Amino acid sequence: MTATPNLNDLIMNALPIPILTVGPEHRIVHANSAAESFFEMSLRMMLRQKLTDFIPFGSPVMALVEDVRQRGSSVSEHRVDIGSPRLGAERIVDVSASPLGDDGDSVILMLQERTIADKMNRQLTHRGAARSITALGTLLAHEIKNPLSGIRGAAQLLEQSANEDDRLLTRLICDETDRIVKLVERMELFGEERPVERGPVNIHGVLDHVKRLAQSGFARHIRFVENYDPSLPPVLGNRDQLIQVILNLVKNAAEAVGIDAPDGEIILSTAFRTGVRLQVPGSQERVSLPIELSVTDNGPGVPPDLMRELFDPFVTTKVQGSGLGLALVAKIVGDHGGIVECEPAPRRTTFRILLPMHRADDGRGADL
């Protein structure tokens, strides 16, 4: 009869993330080895404590526990600072809380620690990166596009009186000029700071539109699979920008699969995830992000050494890529108050986006 609890303890202690079981009156009733290391306290000492002895007063973690007890369902919160004199000035964690048993009082807490570098690189790097090249994009727009226009015009004049061999050169000048102009125009998007009109957007309409574009062009050789939640509420967003986001992700997926893959596949998925919240940078406000959409391909995957900088400008695995596609995706999603992450696996890469839902004027949809 004692084998099962011992096995459970072995499994819990083998997990690398801190796990706490919180009972009535916020008392700690169990903790794994990772939690002992995280809080720098033995299990025996922890069992004499309450959660309030570890977590600062007024922390969102306490509200999270109470939320789980009231809902009876799991809730997650991203980027919570539980820093204290005991733990250190700043400890950023993702918190997941789930009910344990039927008594309604016991809650399991899982803490996924995130260093400041990880938080910036995986979630908010694009904001700093976008700001850092805003001035560059403006400079390119004003100081390069105009001369390029003159160069292209001069090449077209020369083409009228050139022989066939020289026309190849003038055509090359025009083509390369056009390519540079397109690159500059894409960089200009990072400097765009004007507020964008947002409203209710049917994300399935966006996905269907992008799928039609892809199947009529660059992804005509790839099979599309749709795993949609038909009851999904509208997203709070800008339709044109969301089309740009999904189009970039689908185009990347198609290029990752390649034109010669006989079993090339792209999976478009949507889901409603209750309890996922994100703290707005620079404030204490927390925004619910229940709308999940993902683009999955069965290409070779993302090299591990690029994962940390994947959403940075000019980072690319393509021979002729500009490295601005994913950076633009991250910026637009960030401007929408959402999250974009890449989940790599062998022969399977998933880009997952979490977005806020549209709230009606009467406030419906505010509580998830």
Side-chain angles (χ1 to χ4, degrees), residues 11 43 68 182 194 276 331 358:
I11 294 174
L43 176 59
V68 170
K182 290 179 181 178
R194 291 177 298 176
V276 179
K331 180 183 186 299
H358 177 261

Side-chain angles (χ1 to χ4, degrees), residues 63-334:
L64 203 66
V65 171
E66 292 302 323
D67 202 7
V68 170
R69 286 172 174 163
Q70 294 177 10
R71 291 169 180 256
S73 60
S74 299
V75 179
S76 300
E77 193 152 327
H78 290 256
R79 295 200 298 272
V80 177
D81 185 2
I82 60 172
S84 67
R86 178 195 294 271
L87 298 177
E90 189 173 46
R91 299 290 291 272
I92 308 297
V93 296
D94 290 348
V95 185
S96 295
S98 301
L100 179 64
D102 299 326
D103 58 7
D105 288 328
S106 297
V107 176
I108 292 182
L109 280 179
M110 291 177 286
L111 310 176
Q112 179 68 55
E113 185 171 19
R114 295 198 173 206
T115 64
I116 298 304
D118 179 61
K119 179 183 72 170
M120 291 175 64
N121 284 332
R122 294 195 59 189
Q123 301 293 346
L124 300 176
T125 297
H126 58 278
R127 296 184 184 177
R131 293 189 189 100
S132 69
I133 65 171
T134 295
L136 177 59
T138 304
L139 175 65
L140 287 172
H142 291 288
E143 301 299 330
I144 296 181
K145 286 176 68 175
N146 288 338
L148 286 176
S149 177
I151 292 172
R152 195 184 194 285
Q156 289 177 318
L157 289 175
L158 290 174
E159 187 175 12
Q160 296 176 3
S161 59
N163 58 38
E164 188 61 30
D165 291 338
D166 290 339
R167 285 197 184 95
L168 294 176
L169 295 177
T170 56
R171 178 47 47 191
L172 177 63
I173 293 174
C174 291
D175 291 343
E176 287 301 290
T177 300
D178 292 341
R179 186 179 65 83
I180 296 173
V181 168
K182 290 179 181 178
L183 177 61
V184 172
E185 289 174 345
R186 294 183 69 187
M187 290 189 65
E188 280 185 278
L189 294 174
F190 290 97
E192 182 61 67
E193 298 294 340
R194 291 177 298 176
V196 176
E197 183 179 352
R198 295 189 177 97
V201 177
N202 182 339
I203 199 64
H204 294 140
V206 171
L207 291 168
D208 289 341
H209 179 77
V210 171
K211 190 185 78 167
R212 287 196 300 270
L213 290 176
Q215 288 181 322
S216 64
F218 58 84
R220 62 170 61 93
H221 58 291
I222 296 176
R223 184 171 75 97
F224 278 79
V225 178
E226 299 172 353
N227 294 327
Y228 293 164
D229 180 349
S231 63
L232 213 61
V235 170
L236 175 61
N238 178 276
R239 188 175 187 274
D240 291 341
Q241 288 191 342
L242 291 176
I243 288 175
Q244 182 67 58
V245 166
I246 304 302
L247 187 61
N248 282 7
L249 293 180
V250 170
K251 191 172 188 298
N252 281 353
E255 292 174 350
V257 170
I259 60 176
D260 298 325
D263 59 345
E265 180 180 85
I266 294 176
I267 303 174
L268 304 177
S269 305
T270 63
F272 190 84
R273 306 296 186 192
T274 60
V276 179
R277 290 179 288 190
L278 172 70
Q279 181 171 335
V280 177
S283 75
Q284 296 300 313
E285 181 184 0
R286 283 175 164 77
V287 178
S288 296
L289 304 175
I291 310 298
E292 177 184 288
L293 60 98
S294 59
V295 178
T296 302
D297 66 74
N298 60 349
V302 179
D305 58 332
L306 288 184
M307 280 302 303
R308 292 179 64 85
E309 294 83 24
L310 190 61
F311 294 101
D312 284 355
F314 308 114
V315 174
T316 181
T317 59
K318 305 171 189 175
V319 176
Q320 297 183 351
S322 66
L324 292 177
L326 288 179
L328 183 58
V329 165
K331 180 183 186 299
I332 293 175
V333 172

